[in-house]
Amino acid sequence: MASVRVDQKKRALVRNVPDSYTRALAKYFGKGPTDVELARTQHQAYINALESNGVKVHALAADDRHPDCIFVEDQAVVVDGKMLLPLPGHPSRVAEQPPIAEFLMSELGGVQTCTMGGEARMDGGDILRLGNLFFVGRSSRTNDLGIASLRSLLDDFGFELRVIDIPGHALHLTSIASTPTDTIILVPEDYLAAEAFGDLPEDCEVLWMPADEAYGCNTIGLPNGKVLVAEGYPTVHSTLRDRGLDLVELDMSEIRAADGSLTCCSIFY
Ligand code: CIR
């Protein structure tokens, strides 16, 4: 998930790949997964990469009733010890949430938890954090009432929230942008306006990547200085390496096939 700072990524929740994964939603990067075993191999490599770089990972059991259940990022937003449980923007994904919420509530004993009601909708995949500055995508999954719920959570901390309109050819804000460090935003050309992120703190920068590397812009920066990246995006890789970052490349083909990216598969807490 993209709602914690890099130094806060000590523990992660993931969820295993269900037998029903070939029925996962796919409309943007993917045409639908076809190989559940390969997806499991790639998902395990993702878990191994987190663990071997110092993250303690807990894997929830898969639920075959929910083909998209591996994409846990969308189901809970943890910010500095508080948690927002959004109402996911796609009706088929709402029932994925209870075991995730239950696990996080028990792990984060006494965590202050907010829920969404009425017409508010949000996927956690629309939230991006750069240090103590937050961005949220207004997308096909996240509406203004959902954004208002997030704003009230962030107001408690005094964190600023900026809204970014997500174009129709992208699913979420994190599908096309990430913060591999607390000072860099990686984003593809042809998706967002140049001024989409507004004025950033002095030491921060937006790095614009070629549009055909949009998927590669989703990365996970870890406290040990390593950055998990998807295999096959040379400009993203060389740009990050030029900034002194050490990359761990992962084959994400069967995750991408269901429009999922690296950040979608975990919640850091
Ligand atoms: C969906 O359409 O909901 C899933 N197939 C993909 C969710 C990806 N999650 C994310 O970007 N945070």
Side-chain angles (χ1 to χ4, degrees), residues 24-25 68 71 73-74 93 125 141 171-172 174-175 258-260 264:
L25 299 169
D68 285 291
F71 302 120
E73 175 182 55
D74 297 320
R93 301 207 50 204
R141 301 285 177 88
L171 173 56
H172 291 134
T174 61
S175 310
D259 293 338
C264 313

Side-chain angles (χ1 to χ4, degrees), residues 82-123:
K82 288 196 182 185
M83 180 162 70
L84 174 63
L85 295 172
L87 258 171
H90 194 287
S92 76
R93 301 207 50 204
V94 174
E96 293 171 27
Q97 194 177 66
I100 295 168
E102 197 179 311
F103 174 81
L104 290 172
M105 281 193 263
S106 85
E107 280 293 294
L108 298 171
V111 65
Q112 188 181 324
T113 303
C114 320
T115 52
M116 278 186 190
E119 297 303 312
R121 294 290 180 276
M122 170 172 285
D123 280 4

Side-chain angles (χ1 to χ4, degrees), residues 230-244:
E231 246 176 42
Y233 300 93
T235 313
V236 168
H237 298 179
S238 61
T239 304
L240 295 178
R241 285 199 175 105
D242 286 350
R243 278 166 174 72

Side-chain angles (χ1 to χ4, degrees), residues 1 21 23-29 33 67-75 89-90 92-93 96 123-127 141 171-176 218 255-266:
M1 101 151 36
Y21 184 57
R23 298 203 302 275
L25 299 169
K27 179 176 169 189
Y28 300 91
F29 291 125
D68 285 291
C69 69
I70 69 168
F71 302 120
V72 291
E73 175 182 55
D74 297 320
Q75 300 289 341
H90 194 287
S92 76
R93 301 207 50 204
E96 293 171 27
D123 280 4
D126 271 314
I127 299 165
R141 301 285 177 88
L171 173 56
H172 291 134
L173 178 56
T174 61
S175 310
I176 53 166
N218 181 287
I255 310 295
R256 177 182 164 135
D259 293 338
S261 310
L262 289 156
T263 62
C264 313
C265 298
S266 52

Side-chain angles (χ1 to χ4, degrees), residues 101-180:
E102 197 179 311
F103 174 81
L104 290 172
M105 281 193 263
S106 85
E107 280 293 294
L108 298 171
V111 65
Q112 188 181 324
T113 303
C114 320
T115 52
M116 278 186 190
E119 297 303 312
R121 294 290 180 276
M122 170 172 285
D123 280 4
D126 271 314
I127 299 165
L128 185 66
R129 180 172 186 168
L130 178 77
N132 286 334
L133 176 58
F134 284 75
F135 303 91
V136 61
R138 187 192 282 124
S139 70
S140 61
R141 301 285 177 88
T142 297
N143 63 18
D144 285 327
L145 289 169
I147 292 170
S149 299
L150 176 66
R151 193 180 292 288
S152 76
L153 178 90
L154 297 178
D155 278 352
D156 292 347
F157 297 103
F159 293 150
E160 187 186 348
L161 178 65
R162 298 180 185 172
V163 180
I164 295 182
D165 284 310
I166 303 303
H169 58 305
L171 173 56
H172 291 134
L173 178 56
T174 61
S175 310
I176 53 166
S178 69
T179 49

